């Protein structure tokens, strides 16, 4: 049986992280399971956690007047969900729903923020990793917009 620390060490987000930071992070982590269709987070609600997706898929949705929820991105195994726990005012920017049964490691954002305040090197390391993920998401959004509107730009 793998320990939670071992699972974190094997996740791409934590790849190569100093073991002492893994030890600090694991104190804020727990395993979770979400059923297909389950609402995980709601836009505007407190963002007090983030997720490392181990298996399954989740959909980031925005509300579109007259159409309901529109999926803008789907995340799967190896991805992380959530950066709003790190940036005031700590509220979700999207609705998040399990597209299928999903297993994740969920981190208590307040717990991690407190540990980052106590150990600024941990905070810097987490911020670098979250910013790298945000850059990937922005690139994906840019390419999606080019797919949607590229013809209109010609």
């Amino acid at each position: 049986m793998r320990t939670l620390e071992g699972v974190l060490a094997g996740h791409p987000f934590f790849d190569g992280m100093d073991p002492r930071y893994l030890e600090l992070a694991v104190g804020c982590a727990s395993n979770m399971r979400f059923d297909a269709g389950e609402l995980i987070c709601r836009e505007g609600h407190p963002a007090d956690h983030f997720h490392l997706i181990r298996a399954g898929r989740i959909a980031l949705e925005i509300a579109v007047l007259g159409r309901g929820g529109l999926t803008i991105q789907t995340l799967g195994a190896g991805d992380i969900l959530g950066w709003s726990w790190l940036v005031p005012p700590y509220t979700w920017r999207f609705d998040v729903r399990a597209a299928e049964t999903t297993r994740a490691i969920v981190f208590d954002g307040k717990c991690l923020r407190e540990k980052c305040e106590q150990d600024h090197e941990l905070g810097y390391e987490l911020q670098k990793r979250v910013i790298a993920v945000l850059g990937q998401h922005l690139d994906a959004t840019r390419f999606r917009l080019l797919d949607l509107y590229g013809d209109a730009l010609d």
Side-chain angles (χ1 to χ4, degrees):
M1 182 176 191
R2 294 175 66 186
T3 65
L4 197 51
E5 194 168 333
V7 172
L8 292 184
H11 193 281
F13 182 76
F14 284 101
D15 185 42
M17 183 176 270
D18 187 314
R20 66 188 165 123
Y21 299 145
L22 280 176
E23 187 178 324
L24 289 170
V26 80
C28 299
S30 59
N31 274 306
M32 294 284 292
R33 179 181 180 273
F34 303 100
D35 294 325
E38 183 176 343
L39 187 64
I40 299 171
C41 309
R42 177 156 313 277
E43 181 180 357
H45 286 209
D48 51 7
H49 54 279
F50 86 100
H51 308 76
L52 297 181
I53 303 168
R54 296 182 62 197
R57 289 183 313 118
I58 58 169
L60 280 65
E61 302 174 345
I62 56 172
V64 177
L65 193 59
R67 291 183 60 187
L70 175 67
T71 298
I72 59 167
Q73 188 172 16
T74 303
L75 303 174
D79 289 326
I80 72 161
L81 163 67
W83 50 270
S84 298
W85 67 276
L86 191 58
V87 181
Y90 311 118
T91 56
W92 288 103
R93 272 54 170 202
F94 307 99
D95 286 346
V96 180
R97 188 175 310 279
E100 59 188 41
T101 300
T102 301
R103 290 183 300 125
I105 297 173
V106 179
F107 291 86
D108 179 313
K110 184 177 180 197
C111 174
L112 271 179
R113 285 193 307 268
E114 289 171 358
K115 289 185 181 204
C116 289
E117 283 297 324
Q118 294 168 4
D119 186 331
H120 291 166
E121 289 181 24
L122 168 66
Y124 180 62
E125 187 64 34
L126 285 173
Q127 283 187 351
K128 286 191 304 184
R129 291 167 186 262
V130 168
I131 288 168
V133 170
L134 283 172
Q136 293 168 0
H137 289 290
L138 286 172
D139 285 345
T141 300
R142 183 174 141 250
F143 292 129
R144 184 163 182 197
L145 287 171
L146 286 172
D147 284 345
L148 291 172
Y149 300 109
D151 292 338
L153 299 175
D154 291 336

